[in-house]
Amino acid sequence: MDTLSVLREVDDLDQPAVPEMAPRQGRPASVFERVLDRLARSPYPRAILLYLVIRTASVQLLDLLAARRGAALTDRLTAWDGQWYLRLAVHGYADLPGTLDAARQPYSDAPMAFFPLYPKLVGGAMWLGFDVVTAALLVSVLGGLVLACGLIRIGRAVSPERGDRTGLLLVALWAGAPMAIVFSMAYTEAVFCAFAVWALVGVLERRWLLAGLCAFGAGLSRSTAVVLVAVVVVAALIAVFRRTEKRRWALAGAVIAPLGVAGYLGFVAYRTGSWTGWQDIELRGWNTEFDFGAETADSVLSRLTGDESVFSTLTVLFLLGAVALAVVAVVIRLPWPLTLYGVGVLLLAIGTRGLPDAKIRFILPAFPVLIPIAIGLSKRRTVTAVAAAAAWVVLGAWFSAHALTAWRYAI
């Protein structure tokens, strides 16, 4: 494996060639001018700006609703699991004080329910001089910017003729989705989704080392990574058995991908003395376990037939809408790694018992279900596409803000 092969494998900035800036006043364009010209033509700065505008507007709406209820914005952005991650970043797993289970009894193993990468990244930002809250929110923001850039590459893969337009619409739809507020919170979603998007970019572009390393990082972020790892490993092994040019790299990606999630689950198993240690912690600490969707089905039925709030009804409708979009993704034949990943995340979220009001957050990483909408809007007039995306963002921002200010267990 020579140096040139390594550079080609990890290069994730493969873009169409851009003509050099025309000479000005008889002299060649400077390096700085060429960089500016390339940035002006690149969709990545537009994706970053679009993501930041949507997320900033969503946070501002949350601030407005929180103020009406006498709550501080930072309290909302660090609520619930966010407090666990802040404490883990400061104290670590061994010295975390006051850990309790679902019955409010002392439970020293409870912190191990949370995967280690995010608090470690927060700790790294604290080492640079940031306080723990600023560090946590900064890590989430940076993760969101990385995932926004990855969505551009996904757009190119699924819609070559309108790739960047589709990608930008996908950025808008995902950044403004219901419960996308977690991308701006002290939560793992932004970091995990950044790894997930780029892992799938690696699979689609046959950059197996990129796919394997990103799956590895995702596996240290959330348990949902088991779906992503399965997709990467299957795709890589197919490439190996087909004896493609990059089969050595494909094999390396297949080996690296599961090490993150398997390594952490193995660590928890060792610490607890049980092969199902992590699942045991989830059950005792949060009453969460895989029940093949029994609780979800009961919750959906009761809310559709009972006198429920608008928020509860919308939660069910969004969940059913995600399932319908997954079917559409299959019908229009999206690349199978995207479809398999999206469907797998949906099935994992639907099939897990515990916190039914939080299902919308749990399905948020299943971004491929939004691809059919992005493709459809990319074929419409710009005014139509912008209006539809804006309406979706407004609805998602309200839903997110309402969840954090008026609903107790929606996240």
Side-chain angles (χ1 to χ4, degrees):
M1 297 183 185
D2 56 21
T3 303
L4 183 58
S5 297
V6 174
L7 292 176
R8 285 175 176 169
E9 180 61 29
V10 300
D11 173 27
D12 62 351
L13 295 175
D14 182 21
Q15 300 181 23
V18 178
E20 293 184 0
M21 179 178 285
R24 187 175 61 184
Q25 297 181 348
R27 66 174 178 80
S30 68
V31 173
F32 180 68
E33 289 171 330
R34 292 179 184 178
V35 170
L36 288 180
D37 183 57
R38 191 173 181 85
L39 287 175
R41 295 170 181 268
S42 170
Y44 297 119
R46 283 176 283 162
I48 289 173
L49 179 60
L50 178 62
Y51 179 87
L52 287 175
V53 168
I54 292 173
R55 294 299 333 123
T56 300
S58 180
V59 171
Q60 289 300 312
L61 179 59
L62 170 62
D63 188 24
L64 177 64
L65 295 188
R68 291 173 64 90
R69 292 179 174 272
L73 177 62
T74 53
D75 289 342
R76 296 297 83 206
L77 295 179
T78 59
W80 296 290
D81 287 357
Q83 289 298 312
W84 280 94
Y85 287 116
L86 296 182
R87 294 163 64 199
L88 285 170
V90 173
H91 299 285
Y93 287 85
D95 302 319
L96 197 64
T99 57
L100 305 174
D101 61 15
R104 313 300 297 172
Q105 298 300 314
Y107 187 33
S108 59
D109 288 339
M112 289 188 290
F114 300 92
F115 281 58
L117 183 58
Y118 180 75
K120 289 296 183 183
L121 292 176
V122 174
M126 291 172 60
W127 182 80
L128 295 176
F130 296 100
D131 64 86
V132 63
V133 172
T134 302
L137 300 181
L138 178 62
V139 169
S140 291
V141 169
L142 293 178
L145 301 185
V146 173
L147 77 86
C149 292
L151 292 177
I152 295 296
R153 296 281 273 269
I154 296 293
R156 291 176 179 174
V158 299
S159 181
E161 69 282 0
R162 300 180 183 85
D164 292 347
R165 183 181 174 93
T166 302
L168 289 171
L169 284 166
L170 192 54
V171 171
L173 293 172
W174 205 10
M179 294 314 303
I181 190 66
V182 293
F183 292 149
S184 302
M185 296 179 66
Y187 269 63
T188 63
E189 270 76 3
V191 171
F192 171 79
C193 289
F195 280 119
V197 167
W198 281 100
L200 291 169
V201 168
V203 170
L204 296 176
E205 298 182 2
R206 303 296 186 264
R207 298 178 182 277
W208 299 112
L209 190 57
L210 172 66
L213 289 173
C214 287
F216 172 82
L220 291 174
S221 305
R222 290 183 66 84
S223 61
T224 315
V226 295
V227 178
L228 178 68
V229 167
V231 171
V232 171
V233 170
V234 169
L237 292 179
I238 289 174
V240 171
F241 289 121
R242 286 181 176 176
R243 298 183 178 275
T244 61
E245 292 181 0
K246 296 184 177 182
R247 59 181 178 274
R248 292 180 301 172
W249 289 112
L251 183 59
V255 171
I256 294 171
L259 295 181
V261 65
Y264 184 67
L265 293 179
F267 166 76
V268 175
Y270 172 77
R271 286 285 301 270
T272 60
S274 169
W275 285 105
T276 59
W278 186 82
Q279 291 85 347
D280 297 340
I281 293 172
E282 284 284 291
L283 180 58
R284 177 176 168 182
W286 288 265
N287 287 324
T288 299
E289 64 178 344
F290 195 80
D291 69 347
F292 298 94
E295 183 189 67
T296 301
D298 180 68
S299 175
V300 168
L301 182 62
S302 64
R303 293 181 183 195
L304 289 180
T305 58
D307 184 16
E308 296 290 334
S309 69
V310 173
F311 184 86
S312 293
T313 304
L314 281 176
T315 297
V316 172
L317 293 180
F318 285 141
L319 185 61
L320 295 177
V323 174
L325 286 172
V327 174
V328 173
V330 175
V331 171
I332 67 174
R333 296 184 179 181
L334 286 183
W336 72 262
L338 294 175
T339 303
L340 184 59
Y341 168 74
V343 171
V345 172
L346 275 178
L347 291 177
L348 187 62
I350 292 172
T352 300
R353 177 174 70 87
L355 298 178
D357 285 324
K359 293 295 183 185
I360 303 305
R361 176 173 74 88
F362 296 152
I363 68 173
L364 194 61
F367 77 92
V369 302
L370 294 174
I371 293 177
I373 300 179
I375 293 176
L377 289 178
S378 70
K379 300 176 182 178
R380 302 293 183 265
R381 296 170 53 191
T382 300
V383 172
T384 303
V386 171
W392 170 259
V393 168
V394 171
L395 176 61
W398 168 82
F399 188 91
S400 296
H402 188 73
L404 265 68
T405 56
W407 209 249
R408 187 176 182 186
Y409 295 117
I411 191 167

